[in-house]
Structure formats: C-alpha cells, structure tokens
Amino acid sequence: MKDRVRSEYKLGGSTFWLIAGASLGALILTAGFLIDRNTALQERLRVEQAVRHALQLAERALDTQLVQDIDIVSSIADDIADDAMLAPRELNRTLESVLKRNPHLRSITFGPLDDDSRMAFTPRVTSDPTSISIDIPIPPMPWQTATRWQSLRAEIDKVGFLQAAGVSDVGQQEEGSLFRYLDLVIAQDGKILYGDSKVLSEEPVSIRVTLAGAALDLYGVPSDTWEAAELRSLPARLLLLAGIVTMMIAAFGAIYLLRERNQNLVRLAIREARLADLSKRLQIALETSNTGIWEIDEATRHMVWDARTAELHERHADGSGCHDRLEDWYNAIHVDDLPLAEKLFFDCVVARSQDTWDLSYRVMQQDGVVRHLRSVGARSQDGQLTGIVCDITNDALLNQSLSRAKETSDIKNAELELALEELSAREHQLVELSQRLDIALGSYNCGTWEGDPVTKTAVWDERMHQLYGMPYSDKPVTEHQWLASLHADDRSLVVLSAKRAANLGQPLNTTQRVVLPNNETRFIRSVGQAHIDRDGKKKLIGIAFDVTADVLLAEQLRAAKAETDTRNIELELAKNRIEYNSLHDPLTSLANRRKLDMELDAIGRAAPGERQKFAILHLDLDRFKEINDTLGHAAGDTMLVHASRILTKIVPRGDLVARIGGDEFVILSRQATTTEELSKLSSRILEEMRQPIDFEGFDCRCGVSIGIAQSIGFVPDPRKLLINADIALYQAKEKGRNGFEFFTPDLQANIVARKRMADDILAGIERDEFIVHYQPQFHANSMQLCGAEALVRWRHPDRGIVATNHFLRIAEDLNVMARIDEIVLQTALKDQMRWTALGVPIPRISVNVSSRRLHDVTLVDQLQKLNLTPGTICFELVESIFLDDGDSVSAENIERIKALGIDIEIDDFGTGHTSIVSLLKLKPKRLKIDRQLVMPITSQPQERSLVRSIVEIARSLGVETVAEGVETQEHATMLRQIGCDYLQGFAFAKPLSFEDFTRFVDKLPQKKAS
C-alpha cells in the first residue's frame, strides 16, 4: 500500500514538474517572441540613426574639403606676396603641381579685381549649378609694372569636388555601424549630382546642407536594405534556446560540482601547508644572508620594504609594512647613483618598457662609511614588481682592490721591461767592448795572465805561452815553470814586485828577460794589479808583451814608449767613447734615454727643503713617417740630425736635450721655466722646424708637436712630470699638430676618460653591445614609407643607449669603424629578413659606410657573399670623404658596389667640399641635404633658396634628394613645395629599435588617416 502511494506521489510530482516545465517553456517562448519583435524595431531605429550620422559625416567632409581648397588657394596667394624673387616659370611650375595634385580644380587664373574696397587676401566663395569659385585679392606680381591689385580665381568642378571630399567612403565600415556600406545620393534643386536615383525610392534618410551659398540635399540608405535589420534577431533566438538548454544542464552539474568543491578544499589545505613550510625556509635563508625584500605596487607606484631592507638603507622599519618607502629609497641612495635609480624606476614602473630590475648603488651610512647594495627583481604575472636587496660592500671593495693591484702590477711590469731593455743594451755594449779589447791586445801581441798568490800558479792565454817560448797548455802554469824561463838575474826582482802587488795592492810593472829554448833572450814586460773576485779571493791580473826591441835600441825604446803612451791614450779615449756612447744617441749625438733618466733621478734626489724649478718639453716630429716611407730612412736620419741641430742651437746652454726614441725628443729646461719663457722657446722651435731642408733635390718639411709640463712644489716628481709632458703632447697632436700645449689637470682627466671609453668600446664589440636603430623615410608627395636609415647605437651597460656622436671619434682612432660598419650591415640585413617574414614592407635600408671601410680592398668580396637583393640596400658616403682626389681603390669599390645593385647616397650634402665634377663622376642615386641647411628654411629666405638650388641641381643631374632634419610639418610642406623627393626627421619619427619601428609601420595607416 505504501509503495503504491509513494509511486503515485512520484507520478503526481512528475506530472506537476512536467506541466510547470511546459508552462515555463511556453512563457519563455512567448517572451522570446516579444523580445525578438522589439529587437527588430530597435534595430531599424539604430540603422536610421547610423545613416543620419553618416550623412552628417558627409556634410563635415564637404565643409573640410572646401576649407582645404581655400587653404590651397590662400597658400598660393601668400607665396606670391612673400617671395619677392618669384619668377613666372617658378609660379607656373607651382600652379601645375597644385592642379596635378588636385584634379577637381578646373583652373587657377588671374584677373582684374572687381571691387577695390575688398580686404586683402580675404577669400570669397560663390557657387553655380556646376562649379564653385574661390576669389582672393592679391598684390601685383614682382615682374609686373602695374600697381593695382588683381584677383586670384580658382574654379572647382562640383562633381570632382564631391569625389575629392571622399563622400563615397563616408560611413563605410565605421566602428559600431550596423551596416557595412552606405548608398549616398547628393542632389541640388532636384538634379542628382552624385549617386544612384534608386535610393530615392527606398525610404531614404535626408538632410539639407548649405555649401558655398547653394543648398544641397543628402539622401542615404544602407546598402544591405532596411529588411536586413530583422535578420539580426536570429542570434537572439539561438541565444534563448541555448539558455533553456543551459538551465537543464546546470541542475545536473551542480551536484557534481559540489562534490568536486569538497575535494578541492582538501587539496587546497595540503598546498597551504606546503606553502607555509616553504615560506618559513625562505625567511630563514633571507635572515641568514641579510637580504631584504621589497615590492612596488603597479597601480599606486608605492614601494614597500620589510625590516631588513629598511635596516640596509639606514632607515627605520615600518611596522605595518604598507608605508610608501620610495622617497626614503631616493634619499638613501648616493647622489652619483641617483640618476640611474630614477631611470630604472621610470623604465620598469612608469613606462613599463622593462620587466627586470637590476641595480647596484651606494648608500652613505651615518658613520660616513659607504655601503654597496644590489637590488634585483622582476615583474610577476599580476603586474607587481617584487625583488630582493643585499649587501655587496665586500665584493665591491674586493673589486676595487683588485683593480688597484692590477694597475700597480702593470706599472711594475712596464718598469721591469724598461730595466731589461737597459740591461740588454749594457750587455751588448760590454760584449762589443770586450771584442774591441781583444782586437787591440791581439794587434799588439799582448798576452793576458791571471795569478793566484795562494797556489803559486797562473793562468796564461795562448799569446803568453808564445812570449815565453812554451808550448800552449790549458793547465795552470806553476811558479817554478815561470821562474825557470826567466834570466837568473831578474828572478828575485820579479818575485819581489809580485809579492808587493799581492800584499800591498801596488800595481805590478816589471820588465824581465826570458831565455828561449834556442838560448835567444827576449825582454818581456808584465803589467797587472791585485783584484778581489766575488768569492773574496785575491788574484793578480795583467798582461805581458815583448819589449825586446825597446831594450836593444834606445831609439826604439823611446818610440815604443811613445807608442805605449799613445795606446794608453787610445784606451782612455775608448773608455770615454764607450761611456759617451752609453749616454748619447749615435745618430744625433744628443743625450739618450739613459742620460735623461740619470738627470731626472738627480733632480728627484734633491734636498727636501730646496725648491726645484724646471720644466720638461716632450717633442714629436710630425709627418716623419711619411718622409721615411716616401724618401727612405736616409732622409729620415737627415731630418733627425737637422732637428737635433736646431734644438742644440735654440735650447740654452746648460739645459739637456735628449732623443728618447724614433722621432721623439725631450728638453729638460732649467733656464726657461715660466710659461712666457717656455712659450717663446716653443715658438722658436716651431718656426725653425717649418723651414725645409734639401735631401737629394727634394724639399723635406717636418713639423713638430710639443707637450710642456712645469714643476710644482718643493720636491716635484720628475718621472711624473715626464708623463704629464707626454699627456700634453697627445693633446697638441689632437688639436691639429705643429703646435704646443701646457699640461693641466683637466688634460689628465680627459686622457683617462678617453682611455676608459676606448676600453669600453673594444669590450662592447666583443659583447655585442652595438645595436641598430632605424629612422623612417617618406615620399614627399604621397607620404608613403619609402625606406629607413640604419643608425648605430651603443647599448652601454652603465650609461644606457649612447648616440653615435659620443663615441664615433674614439672608435675611428681605435680603427674599429670598419668592424662597426660590418655589424650595422649584418644587423640591417637580418632585420630586413625579419620584416619580410612579418609582412612589413620596407623598400630599402640606408647604411652608413666609413672612409676606412670604403678603402678596404676586400669589401666587395664580402658583399658578394651576402647575396643581396638589388635596390634593397643603400650605402651612405659622408661628404667629408674627399671624392676629387682620384683614389683608385675607393673609386673601384664604388663602381663594383653599384654593380651589385647597391645604391650610393651622399650624406650631409652641403657641409663638405664635394664638387659638381665629383657628382658627375660618382653618379650617386641620391643626395641627402644636411639638417643644418634644412632647419632655417622656414624663417630665412636665403637658406630656402639655397635648398631649392640644390634640389634643382640634383634634378638636372638625375639625382634624387632626401631632406634630413625635418622637425615640423611646416618644414615638410615647404620642402614638398620646393620639390624635394624624400623626407626624414623627428616630424615623423625619431630613430627606433626594431620592435618600435615594426609597431610604427603597423600604425602608419591610422596616422595617415588622422
């Protein structure tokens, strides 16, 4: 019984829910029908409103076109009034250009003024059924003799005017429009001027407008008919059906989702426990490493610190952890590091151009000690910047110590190399002196001996054995052997003299008779003295020679004595000559580097209380290498001797003049120490060196550059002063050579800065820090993108993006411009391929080529390997490259480059010395007018005329012109009127990276429409 009741209850419940569901379904269908009907009516009203809005847009388009035509005629009137040099031919060319660009203008004519009381340059617009007329009073032409004002009239065809106004495009594909296209009819007094008459029979929306005094009626209907609005209700019907199905599915899915929710809550609890454990570990790690955490809110731009971050910055901790610490961060940073911090904050937070945060900076603590910190972070998925900050003071101090140690090591190594060179020179001189002495002894048949008073033995050379008539042996000679060969009467005297020499240190000088094996007597003279060697042993060293002839004949004895005296003098002269040669240059007889070092050391050893006044002049001959290369080293030696004579003649007696190498000289001046005296001395040297000398019929001229350093203080460092003079010499050469410069502390700072910049450039090439930015170029008339110029930029790790003018000159001095040019070309080709793959049309890219790169004989071979597409790459040659000198290498390279399909452009035209003959020979594709000529054309008629002349000359030679430095739209309009072909400048875009340039090109249609 219960089962039956339960079954009936279930059946009744099912019937109830079935009836309720059917009722609800009928109600939903009825409501859907009513909603669909109302939606169709609302759609019809929206379409009518959109059509009316489109007609209003057409009205504004007509008014805008009329204003533009009036501006065109007014600009012609202004040019006639402003340009006093206007010629009929130029005026006709301007009118033809205006009519060509505006086909709806029937004609532009000049006629008498119908009303002399009309205000000057005030346009009057009239209309008839077929045309519109614009009339402006203007003064007489510059070439006319009449003084009465005349009328400038422009006739506009009405139908062409409507087409030029673009009324056929009004409303098409407008954002939010309910129709795709608009059918438009324009009528005047019942006569259709534009459109199809069928529109009038389709219940059009109409408005009446007044144009130039004439009433026009505008009619419009949507191209897809009014009935298309009802068809748009189909999505609503489908949406209603989807809602019914969705409600049924939602009921069954609710239970399943509830079960899944409980399971997800369990999983979430497990993950929260793991997260808490990881957070605890991270907190321990941060406390151990003394690392703080910071966060920047993207919306409020507030910086939040934890307690350790505040402690690292010497600031009080914020208990809530929500206080903005950005101002505290700026105040804590060292003033020298503040610009980098502000730039990083702007890039990451304000501009959002960078997603990573990495900054090293200094913080001044309260005790005056500098703390070095490093802050690192990144942007999370929710847009927040989060990072850590840690103390890197020890690492920074270690790096500074290593840098100072390296500098000290480099200086010591340089000093060691100089010492080794000097030691090698002395060793060479010693060997040479030994050879000379051996030759001298051999020529006089002298034997050398070395006696040992302790062992009673002596070491004889071969000539000693010959003198005593003994066979040669390398064994020591005993005292017994020696005395046995002497005459018996001479033995005691010789032994006594040897003992005195050994014991008392007296020189040994004896003459003894030697009895030869054939009983012949020979007189031998021995000369020597005591010597203590490194081991502390005393020895007698000397020579022996045959004086038989001197003893036998008195005359021969006197002659022998005279000869001996002469030889002694020669030995003394040889010694003096050796000493002189060791301190003087063999070519010029001036003091050498060793002599200069001795003088500087003597100055450095002066008493502390004695004030030293002296100056050092470091001289370097200009163009000396050219003389060596063209006339040979003999001419170079002659020029060095000539320079030494001039310096010897001009420098006061008592001052040291030294040649320290190659073509370098140093003057150590003690007489002239004031600035005025040194300037006068340097001027005399420059004047004398300007005079040519004759070498085998050739006039040799060689200038000189001089660097001057003066002593300061009581104990100046002469070595440091020599370095300062070298720095001043470098500055003199930088200023154009053939001059002199005094050392100042600023010079040293500049040299250090240039050295650091040069090192950074070389490192930047190795680390690929040189990138390419692109500045677009446009057709002057159509404003279509026609190309881009590739400009090198240096992405410096500390200074950011560095422009070319900051490192170009140093790069040229380092001889790396060819490598940089190669990097720019390779990058431009790679980016061009990327643009092609992205579907971004870049017709051509212009790449600058340096003079050194142009003179590379392997340039064309390298270009042939790149498989270039003709017309896509242009080479820009700066005008400072002198093209009239007939350089065969550059001329041949240019012709072969053009044969590869690479266009040639002359950059910075108008600032150098390129001639018309050079242009005829070179035949470039384009001339780039320098920005210095383009900038003033809006305010200076002479500059405007000059630019116009350049354009006309280029056009007569068949060369296109590109104006760079176009800063405003006024420049662009005026250059377009002058006839310039292409425009480039900040008025359109600054140099952009690859990504920014790609976005710029994508947005070009929108910019042109605006």
Side-chain angles (χ1 to χ4, degrees), residues 552-568:
L552 296 177
L553 297 173
E555 192 66 28
Q556 293 179 357
L557 180 59
R558 284 193 298 269
K561 181 178 181 302
E563 184 178 0
T564 302
D565 294 340
T566 302
R567 291 196 177 275
N568 288 335

Side-chain angles (χ1 to χ4, degrees), residues 82-365:
D82 294 341
D83 196 350
M85 303 297 293
L86 184 64
R89 180 179 179 183
E90 183 178 354
L91 178 60
N92 291 334
R93 185 164 58 249
T94 302
L95 296 179
E96 291 175 359
S97 176
V98 171
L99 292 174
K100 184 177 180 181
R101 293 196 303 269
N102 303 276
H104 63 284
L105 294 178
R106 288 180 179 174
S107 63
I108 299 176
T109 60
F110 301 91
L113 188 64
D114 55 359
D115 184 4
D116 293 337
S117 62
R118 287 182 57 191
M119 184 175 294
F121 302 104
T122 303
R124 184 176 65 190
V125 182
T126 59
S127 174
D128 57 38
T130 61
S131 64
I132 299 173
S133 176
I134 301 174
D135 181 6
I136 299 178
I138 62 173
M141 305 295 179
W143 63 81
Q144 292 179 340
T145 58
T147 60
R148 185 182 179 189
W149 283 51
Q150 55 187 337
S151 176
L152 172 63
R153 297 187 181 90
E155 294 293 333
I156 303 174
D157 180 67
K158 271 194 176 180
V159 177
F161 174 79
L162 296 177
Q163 295 176 349
V167 295
S168 60
D169 298 331
V170 174
Q172 293 186 16
Q173 296 179 334
E174 182 181 2
E175 183 178 359
S177 178
L178 301 179
F179 51 88
R180 188 175 183 183
Y181 296 101
L182 171 70
D183 289 340
L184 178 66
V185 171
I186 301 176
Q188 181 180 4
D189 298 330
K191 181 182 179 181
I192 296 177
L193 300 179
Y194 177 83
D196 191 351
S197 61
K198 294 180 181 180
V199 174
L200 301 179
S201 63
E202 297 179 1
E203 300 180 3
V205 178
S206 65
I207 63 172
R208 171 161 289 194
V209 300
T210 302
L211 181 66
L216 298 179
D217 294 319
L218 276 64
Y219 303 92
V221 296
S223 296
D224 52 0
T225 72
W226 299 106
E227 289 74 10
E230 297 180 359
L231 298 178
R232 298 189 181 95
S233 61
L234 180 59
R237 296 169 184 171
L238 296 176
L239 182 62
L240 180 61
L241 179 61
I244 297 173
V245 176
T246 302
M247 287 192 306
M248 296 177 62
I249 296 174
F252 292 103
I255 298 175
Y256 175 78
L257 293 177
L258 183 60
R259 183 175 62 86
E260 289 294 325
R261 173 180 174 275
N262 293 332
Q263 293 178 355
N264 290 333
L265 289 175
V266 174
R267 297 191 190 101
L268 182 61
I270 296 174
R271 291 181 181 177
E272 288 179 350
R274 292 179 181 175
L275 181 60
D277 183 56
L278 291 176
S279 177
K280 183 177 180 181
R281 294 180 182 180
L282 177 61
Q283 189 69 17
I284 294 173
L286 293 177
E287 291 177 356
T288 304
S289 60
N290 195 21
T291 300
I293 301 177
W294 55 266
E295 184 176 2
I296 298 177
D297 191 335
E298 188 69 18
T300 62
R301 299 177 184 173
H302 287 178
M303 176 180 284
V304 180
W305 287 351
D306 65 353
R308 283 184 297 275
T309 304
E311 181 181 355
L312 289 174
H313 289 83
E314 293 282 322
R315 294 296 186 270
H316 296 292
D318 180 17
S320 63
C322 300
H323 182 63
D324 182 17
R325 308 306 295 268
L326 182 60
E327 191 66 27
D328 293 338
W329 185 54
Y330 282 152
N331 293 333
I333 296 177
H334 194 279
V335 66
D336 294 337
D337 299 334
L338 189 58
L340 288 177
E342 293 175 344
K343 181 180 182 302
L344 181 60
F345 184 84
F346 179 83
D347 292 341
C348 293
V349 179
V350 181
R352 292 179 62 89
S353 61
Q354 187 172 336
D355 292 334
T356 59
W357 178 292
D358 192 350
L359 177 67
S360 297
Y361 55 92
R362 293 166 291 176
V363 172
M364 185 66 71
Q365 301 183 78

Side-chain angles (χ1 to χ4, degrees), residues 493-528:
L493 181 59
V494 170
V495 171
L496 179 61
S497 298
K499 288 181 179 180
R500 289 178 178 176
N503 297 329
L504 301 180
Q506 296 179 354
L508 177 66
N509 191 348
T510 61
T511 301
Q512 57 273 3
R513 288 168 290 178
V514 176
V515 180
L516 300 177
N518 58 0
N519 292 325
E520 182 182 348
T521 301
R522 178 179 294 170
F523 291 85
I524 302 299
R525 185 177 181 183
S526 295
V527 178

Side-chain angles (χ1 to χ4, degrees), residues 3 14 46 123 132 142 225 288 327 414 442 496 562 621 632 639 656 661 708 715 724 761 783 907 924 955 961 975:
D3 294 339
S14 300
R46 289 177 62 189
I132 299 173
T225 72
T288 304
E327 191 66 27
L496 179 61
L621 301 184
M639 181 57 68
L656 179 67
I708 308 171
V715 189
N724 294 344
I761 289 174
M783 292 309 296
D907 197 10
R955 184 179 292 116
T961 53
L975 289 167

